[in-house]
Amino acid sequence: MTVFGLLRSPRHVLFGAGQRRALGTLAASVGRRALVCTDARFSSTPDFDELLGLLRGAGMEVSTFTETLPDVPTGQVVECAELARRAAPDVVLGMGGGSCIDLAKSVTVLLAHGGRPQDYYGEFRVPGPTLPLIALPTTAGTGSEVTPVAVLSDPERSSKVGISSPHIIPWGAVCDPELTYGSPPALTASTGADALAHAVEAFTAIRREPEPGLSAARVFVGKSELTDQYALLAVRLIAANFHRAWSDPDDLEAREAMMLAAMAGGFALGTAGTAAAHAIQYPLGALTHTPHGVGVGALLPYVMEFNRNVREQELARIAREMRVPLQGDDAELADASIEAVADLLASVGIPRTLGELGLAEDKVGWTAEQSLNAARLVENNPRRLDAAGAERIVRAAYAGDRTGLRDEHEPLVAARGGSL
Ligand code: NAD
C-alpha cells in the first residue's frame, strides 16, 4: 500500500461557540485596515455590529461592503474591489454564507493582482499571494472558509465558474456555530446537503498516482489518506445530526456538529475535489435557479449509483460511518449506503428528482452536455464521465429511477484508482 496525503489549509482555524469574539485580536495580528464583505441580511444583525466593534476595539479601521448577492455575480467582485481600493485594506474579512466568503476571496485577488475575475478562472491562474483573508461562515455547508476555490456566476456563461488557487485559501477561519442558530430549515437542508455531497464526492473521488509533480499540477488532486479522514468525519457527523438540526433549529449540539462537518467537508473537498454531482449542478443551478446544495443533494444518490461498481469499498465504509443497521458484506453495505444517503436527504426535504427541482425534460440533454465543461470536476469522477454517462445520470435523476445506472461490466476496482 502506498500512502499519499496532501492537505492545504488556512494558517488559523478556530472553531467553537462564542469563538467569533476572538476576531478582533486575530485580525489585528495580521492587518490594520479591514475590508468586511457581507450581505444585507448579516449586516443588519446585532452579531455584525458586535464584530465590527471588536475590530475597531482592536485598533483597526474598518470599511464594509454589505451588498453581496447569493451565487455572487462577477460584476459584484469588480464593484467591491473598486470601492475597496480607496480604503486600501490590508486584510479582508468574508462574513456570511459561502457567497460572502467567495466574494471576499475574489476581491483579494483583484486587489493584489488587478485585472478582472475572468482572468483567474480555472486552476493556478492567481500568480501569487493575495491579501490575508479571514472567513466567518454563517452557514454550515460550503466549507469555503477552508477551501482554495471561489465560485462565481458569470452572466456571459451558462454555468458557474471557479477561481481555484491555493493563494485564495483564507489565512484564518473562525467558525462559530452560534452564527448558524438562526438558519431556517430550508437553508439548513440545502447547506447540509452540500456538506454531505462534499464529503461523499471527496471520499469516492479518483485516486491519482502520487507522482511528485501531482500537487503542483492540480489544485484538486483526488482522494488521499488525509482528505479521507476529514470526509469520514463529515459523513459521521452529518448522519447523526443533519435531521436533528433541520427538525429542531434550537438543537445546539446538532448545529455545532453540522458546522464541524461542513468545515471537515471543506478540508476534504478543498484538496481532493468534488466530482459528477457538482459538475452537473453547475448547469442545473443556472437553469433552475435553485440553491446549490439542493441541486447537489438531489443528484448525489444517482452519482453514487453511477460510481457504485468502482467505489464499492468506499461506499461500504460510508454505510458503516452512517451506522446503517445492516450486517452484510461490502456489496450489500455499498448498496445500503446509497439508500441511506437518499433517505437522509429526502428526510430534510431535498427533492428526489430533478423534475421536482424544475428541470424541463427537454433540457436533460443540454444539462448533461454543459456539465462536461467543468473539466476539473469531470476528471475527478472515479468512473469515466463522458457525454453518454452524464446524460444517463441526468435522465435517471430526472425520472427518479436509479436502476441501470451502474455498469455491471466495469471492473470492481477501476483502472482510474482503486481503494486502499
Ligand atoms: P449563500 O451564501 O448563497 O446564502 C444563501 C442565503 O442564506 C442568503 O440570502 C444569506 O443571506 C442567507 N443566510 C446565510 N447565513 C444565514 C443564517 N445563519 N441565517 C439565515 N440566513 C442566512 O449560501 P451558501 O450555501 O452558504 O453558499 C452558496 C454559495 O457557495 C454558492 O455560490 C456555491 O456555489 C458556493 N460554494 C462555494 C464553495 C467553496 O469552496 N468556495 C463550496 C461550495 C459551494
Side-chain angles (χ1 to χ4, degrees), residues 177-201:
E178 287 179 2
L179 296 177
T180 69
Y181 289 175
S183 170
L187 185 64
T188 303
S190 66
T191 52
D194 193 19
L196 180 59
H198 293 159
V200 170
E201 290 219 290

Side-chain angles (χ1 to χ4, degrees), residues 274-276 279 371-386 416:
T274 50
S371 68
L372 299 182
N373 292 338
R376 72 177 165 89
L377 303 174
V378 169
E379 289 168 11
N380 228 28
N381 203 64
R383 179 174 164 196
R384 195 172 307 287
L385 188 67
D386 56 14
R416 307 192 77 211

Side-chain angles (χ1 to χ4, degrees), residues 248-295:
D248 177 4
D250 297 324
D251 185 335
L252 305 187
E253 203 181 86
R255 290 286 197 192
E256 201 166 59
M258 287 304 289
M259 191 168 223
L260 187 60
M263 188 189 75
F267 276 119
L269 100 89
T271 311
T274 50
H278 278 75
I280 298 170
Q281 164 54 23
Y282 275 14
L284 178 68
L287 269 185
T288 60
H289 303 289
T290 43
H292 172 80
V294 175

Side-chain angles (χ1 to χ4, degrees), residues 102-183:
D102 286 0
L103 172 90
K105 284 175 169 174
S106 312
V107 166
T108 64
V109 175
L110 263 55
L111 289 176
H113 301 293
R116 305 165 307 155
Q118 298 84 305
D119 301 334
Y120 305 102
Y121 293 169
E123 295 201 353
F124 288 122
R125 303 217 27 221
V126 178
T130 61
L131 296 189
L133 169 73
I134 302 179
L136 260 95
T138 63
T139 56
T142 69
S144 180
E145 63 274 14
V146 298
T147 70
V149 56
V151 184
L152 304 172
S153 306
D154 183 334
E156 290 176 14
R157 307 215 177 188
S158 52
S159 291
K160 281 185 157 184
V161 288
I163 298 174
S164 301
S165 162
H167 291 305
I168 63 169
I169 295 173
W171 176 88
V174 179
C175 305
D176 188 332
E178 287 179 2
L179 296 177
T180 69
Y181 289 175
S183 170

Side-chain angles (χ1 to χ4, degrees), residues 355-368:
E356 289 168 72
L357 273 186
L359 183 71
E361 191 170 7
D362 63 0
K363 291 289 181 196
V364 165
W366 181 89
T367 305

